[in-house]
Amino acid sequence: MKDYMKDTDRYGKIWIITAAVIVAMVPAAICIRYNAWPELTAVLKGLMGVAPIFWTVGVIEVITYTPMLGVGGTYLAFVTGNLTSLKAPSALSAMESMGVRPGSEEGEVISTIAIAVSSIVTTLVIAVGVCLLTLIAPLLNSPVLKPAFDNILPALFGGLGVVYISKNWKLSVAPLLFMIALFLAVPSLASSVGVLVPVGVIIALIAARVMYKKGMV
Amino acid sequence: MAFSANSSFLYGIAVLVIIFVLAQSVFFLVRAYRRGVEMGMAKEKLRRVMISSAVFTVAPAVSILLGVVTLSKFLGIPLPWIRMSVIGALTYELPAASSTAKALGVSLSEMVTDPKVYTAIAWVMTLGIMPSILLPPVLMKKIRGGVVKLRSRDEKWGDLFMTSMFLGMISAFLGMVFADVGKGAAGLIPILVLLCSAALMGVCGLLIKKKNMQWLETYAMSISMIGAMVFAVVIAPLLS
């Protein structure tokens, strides 16, 4: 068991560092090819607008999702992106339906398979979509279908919520009530839901610990 | 060399990046599958996980494709294609592009033709997301060690800890659905969609348990998600 995890960690590091280099090479290659290096001040100014939020969210996401997704799943999901809206729900749902425990080696295997398949399918759907863009863009942009894509998160988390809450409803009461009250009181927080994930996690953990100590769960 | 946001050079780079992402995914998939078989997990079950994840991914993937369409209006296709296939998400790429455009005083209402504006946007998108890709290797040992320690010390609490983490995350997204309640009838749409998805999952659960329809387990998440999306299309015109 140890060897598989150790190897996964080693390969994962090699892949993710290579990915970092490749990702950074993309703008560098464009700059070299067109001899068009941007002004440093322009990049810094642009970065100032997003980095404070996104670097913070980045750190939070790594700390929050790594224990959930396991070693292989984490290395893969952080390269392929769309973590909250796709990779994490996909891994969670797979582990739940297989009845394996996250953090165990079985959980590691199932989470990695779910995230890998999800990444492959996403990449292929986007690739096919790009090839057929002129054909499907009007369909994707049609006002009739807009509500479907606008509501993809509630459509996804409704089902996932039932699976988890029905099994552990006592654990879900505190974070759920807190989050509903918070969003009702401050609706503008919806745009920074990523930052609130760890808040929900901390509340759930405190409530779980109290209930566990009292023998309620 | 004249610059175009849709040049074949940029498409070439996009294809190389896509191949890399696919290679990494296939590499991890094959290793995990082999390990699963080695550990005595039934091949049939592992295949079911693969089918279920694949079907479940299609609708969100189309929504990501929609992000490529949005960004392509001013960045061309190759860069958004790269960004949305690696690390990216529209919620990040769009603010990054607008922030840079604002700093440079240019508009994003039409295609970017100045290569320096284009590369500035590309750099901001890239640098802004770097912590997410550089931190996992740095923090992995510590986090993983923490999980193992937690489990070995008190197994029951270890399980509750993980479940609570999931529920904390799910709660944040369920709570978010209530953010638009103050906007009148249209604000109720996300809540109704959520309830529809939950109800469909409930029905699937009942069919699996009571009617012994085990095959449904593979598709339950996809059915509840796509069913709720169709429901959104039906009710949105009535409520907005």
Side-chain angles (χ1 to χ4, degrees):
Chain A
M1 161 177 177
K2 286 263 159 54
D3 284 349
Y4 173 75
M5 298 298 243
K6 232 181 179 170
D7 286 350
T8 306
D9 186 46
R10 204 181 61 225
Y11 289 130
K13 279 190 175 120
I14 296 171
W15 277 102
I16 205 165
I17 291 165
T18 313
V21 173
I22 288 179
V23 165
M25 289 283 282
V26 170
I30 303 170
C31 289
I32 294 167
R33 169 79 173 188
Y34 295 103
N35 194 21
W37 291 88
E39 301 279 335
L40 187 62
T41 48
V43 175
L44 288 179
K45 271 190 197 165
L47 207 52
M48 286 285 285
V50 287
I53 300 167
F54 286 107
W55 286 0
T56 313
V57 173
V59 175
I60 289 172
E61 281 190 346
V62 173
I63 296 171
T64 316
Y65 288 113
T66 303
M68 298 190 201
L69 305 180
V71 182
T74 299
Y75 284 129
L76 197 53
F78 277 95
V79 170
T80 56
N82 286 293
L83 220 70
T84 43
S85 59
L86 181 54
K87 306 295 156 59
S90 170
L92 258 62
S93 150
M95 284 190 280
E96 183 61 40
S97 74
M98 286 289 286
V100 294
R101 287 176 10 211
S104 66
E105 200 181 3
E106 289 85 355
E108 169 78 33
V109 164
I110 296 300
S111 165
T112 306
I113 290 178
I115 292 172
V117 170
S118 196
S119 302
I120 293 168
V121 172
T122 309
T123 312
L124 293 178
V125 167
I126 300 177
V128 171
V130 161
C131 295
L132 304 172
L133 204 57
T134 40
L135 281 177
I136 58 170
L139 184 71
L140 289 177
N141 282 323
S142 82
V144 178
L145 285 184
K146 194 172 180 293
F149 293 112
D150 283 349
N151 288 291
I152 197 158
L153 283 179
L156 196 162
F157 279 95
L160 197 61
V162 166
V163 174
Y164 267 85
I165 294 170
S166 63
K167 283 199 165 175
N168 317 280
W169 68 270
K170 282 184 193 165
L171 294 176
S172 65
V173 174
L176 202 53
L177 288 180
F178 176 86
M179 283 298 164
I180 292 175
L182 184 70
F183 281 105
L184 284 174
V186 196
S188 59
L189 283 174
S191 55
S192 42
V193 65
V195 185
L196 290 169
V197 168
V199 177
V201 168
I202 289 167
I203 290 170
L205 285 176
I206 293 172
R209 188 71 192 170
V210 172
M211 284 189 275
Y212 179 58
K213 283 281 168 196
K214 290 191 173 172
M216 291 163 68
V217 283
Chain B
M1 170 66 58
F3 171 77
S4 154
N6 283 315
S7 70
S8 48
F9 172 71
L10 292 176
Y11 271 107
I13 292 183
V15 169
L16 290 178
V17 173
I18 302 321
I19 291 173
F20 174 82
V21 177
L22 284 175
Q24 181 180 6
S25 306
V26 171
F27 177 84
F28 278 97
L29 175 62
V30 171
R31 284 194 79 239
Y33 183 86
R34 281 190 188 150
R35 181 66 194 150
V37 174
E38 241 174 60
M39 288 166 69
M41 292 171 139
K43 282 185 181 173
E44 176 53 35
K45 276 188 163 181
L46 294 176
R47 272 190 214 122
R48 229 175 54 205
V49 171
M50 289 163 72
I51 294 171
S52 162
S53 305
V55 176
F56 168 71
T57 301
V58 174
V62 172
S63 149
I64 296 166
L65 177 63
L66 208 57
V68 177
V69 175
T70 308
L71 293 169
S72 71
K73 285 168 194 155
F74 51 90
L75 287 176
I77 291 170
L79 186 61
W81 185 15
I82 295 171
R83 300 296 316 174
M84 301 300 267
S85 299
V86 192
I87 329 177
L90 189 65
T91 43
Y92 166 69
E93 310 299 341
L94 203 53
S98 343
S99 167
T100 319
K102 215 165 119 193
L104 289 165
V106 296
S107 159
L108 289 183
S109 55
E110 52 191 34
M111 187 68 81
V112 172
T113 48
D114 182 346
K116 286 192 175 177
V117 172
Y118 185 88
T119 51
I121 291 174
W123 274 114
V124 172
M125 285 176 161
T126 306
L127 295 174
I129 211 77
M130 271 300 171
S132 299
I133 202 164
L134 292 175
L135 278 178
V138 177
L139 297 178
M140 181 59 80
K141 202 173 168 191
K142 239 187 176 134
I143 297 175
R144 181 76 205 150
V147 174
V148 172
K149 213 163 138 191
L150 196 73
R151 281 210 180 283
S152 57
R153 214 188 290 158
D154 181 346
E155 203 168 327
K156 190 179 176 203
W157 169 241
D159 281 345
L160 286 173
F161 187 93
M162 292 306 262
T163 309
S164 302
M165 283 196 88
F166 293 159
L167 282 168
M169 171 199 157
I170 292 170
S171 300
F173 284 95
L174 292 181
M176 182 187 73
V177 170
F178 290 81
D180 291 335
V181 167
K183 290 184 182 165
L188 294 176
I189 297 172
I191 300 176
L192 294 173
V193 172
L194 177 93
L195 292 175
C196 172
S197 166
L200 286 171
M201 179 56 91
V203 171
C204 287
L206 280 179
L207 290 174
I208 292 166
K209 275 191 191 143
K210 307 274 177 204
K211 301 271 173 194
N212 231 359
M213 293 166 71
Q214 295 306 329
W215 60 268
L216 198 59
E217 212 166 327
T218 312
Y219 306 102
M221 271 298 288
S222 308
I223 290 172
S224 61
M225 179 172 60
I226 293 167
M229 286 169 77
V230 172
F231 177 70
V233 170
V234 176
I235 59 157
L238 304 173
L239 292 175
S240 23

